[in-house]
Amino acid sequence: MATLILVRHGRSTANTAGVLAGWTPGVFLDERGAAQAAALPGRLADVPVAAVVSSPLERCLQTMQPLLDARAGLELQSDERIGECHYGDWSGRKLAELADEPLMEVVQRHPSAAAFPGGESMRAMQARAVDAVREWNARIDAAHGEDAAYVMCSHGDIIKSLVADALGMHLDLFQRIHVEPCSVTAIRYTRTRPFLLRLGDTGDFGSLAPRGNGGGNDGGGTAVVGGGAGAP
């Protein structure tokens, strides 16, 4: 079956502001995010891309535009099922203030039980994204053959949940996965099982350097909801 190349959108203005954007309109790439998107065609230059699918949110559409400009004949196809988690009443709020919400501990430790007020559950988020990928795999296979590769641009929590599904991990473990802005994650699907080929690859190892804050995703073992801003 098809090889799925998952791209998290480039760094956004919400990432740098420490805001949980969700589906808030008008969230665009910042200067660094635009540079990350501009570099993406070169990073994927050796990969024949059969199709490009994207979340309908602006930061993902912006991230894909340089790739579309570089590949004549490729058209972007939008799919709401790979759009960001619907964070409901949490959307647009600062992550720092959300850290004190009782629900945050559930999001961190037992995400399969987490449902955002006025939004959706994390189980529903994963289910719709997995359904989208399975359907797109079948469409790409039918149109381009089982050796085809296609790009899907989405969001941190969506990509993490897809990786968890591919690895046979329970959703309660997905916070152990981290993908930086404009990172590439590749999954090759076969009839019997998926294979994780790349995870959160940016080509830049600067983010691995110790930050002097105790380690962990944010320095204290807490996963950044929505994915974070990446390396400083």
Side-chain angles (χ1 to χ4, degrees), residues 25-230:
V27 176
F28 299 101
L29 300 183
D30 67 7
E31 185 176 352
R32 180 170 178 175
Q36 291 170 334
L40 189 62
R43 293 168 60 199
L44 297 178
D46 294 333
V47 182
V49 175
V52 175
V53 186
S54 178
S55 156
L57 295 173
E58 293 100 329
R59 52 198 184 272
C60 287
L61 300 178
Q62 276 188 289
T63 301
M64 287 295 95
Q65 194 57 54
L67 180 62
L68 295 170
D69 292 341
R71 302 282 184 115
L74 271 184
E75 294 183 2
L76 184 140
Q77 303 181 75
S78 178
D79 193 325
E80 290 193 355
R81 294 173 297 175
I82 59 167
E84 181 63 284
C85 184
H86 291 277
Y87 295 117
D89 297 344
W90 279 25
S91 299
R93 293 179 61 188
K94 288 277 190 179
L95 288 164
E97 70 180 44
L98 290 171
D100 295 328
E101 294 279 354
L103 178 60
M104 183 60 85
E105 185 176 11
V106 182
V107 171
Q108 293 293 325
R109 298 178 180 272
H110 190 22
S112 66
F116 296 98
E120 69 179 333
S121 69
M122 301 199 91
R123 286 183 296 106
M125 174 200 74
Q126 183 187 44
R128 63 173 165 85
V130 170
D131 284 349
V133 165
R134 297 294 180 173
E135 182 181 305
W136 277 104
N137 285 348
R139 290 173 65 174
I140 296 299
D141 283 354
H144 303 282
E146 62 181 16
D147 292 328
Y150 71 107
V151 171
M152 182 175 278
C153 187
S154 189
H155 308 265
D157 282 347
I158 295 287
I159 293 172
K160 287 162 55 179
S161 74
L162 290 169
V163 170
D165 173 75
L167 293 176
M169 292 171 57
H170 197 282
L171 184 61
D172 284 346
L173 302 178
F174 100 125
Q175 298 289 26
R176 302 182 182 194
I177 300 166
H178 181 67
V179 290
E180 294 212 352
C182 222
S183 63
V184 172
T185 294
I187 304 170
R188 179 170 295 143
Y189 289 85
T190 74
R191 185 175 60 86
T192 55
R193 74 194 71 180
F195 292 89
L196 181 64
L197 307 180
R198 297 286 189 279
L199 176 61
D201 189 342
T202 63
D204 176 6
F205 297 104
S207 63
L208 301 181
R211 301 187 191 182
N213 55 11
N217 195 352
D218 72 346
T222 302
V224 181
V225 180

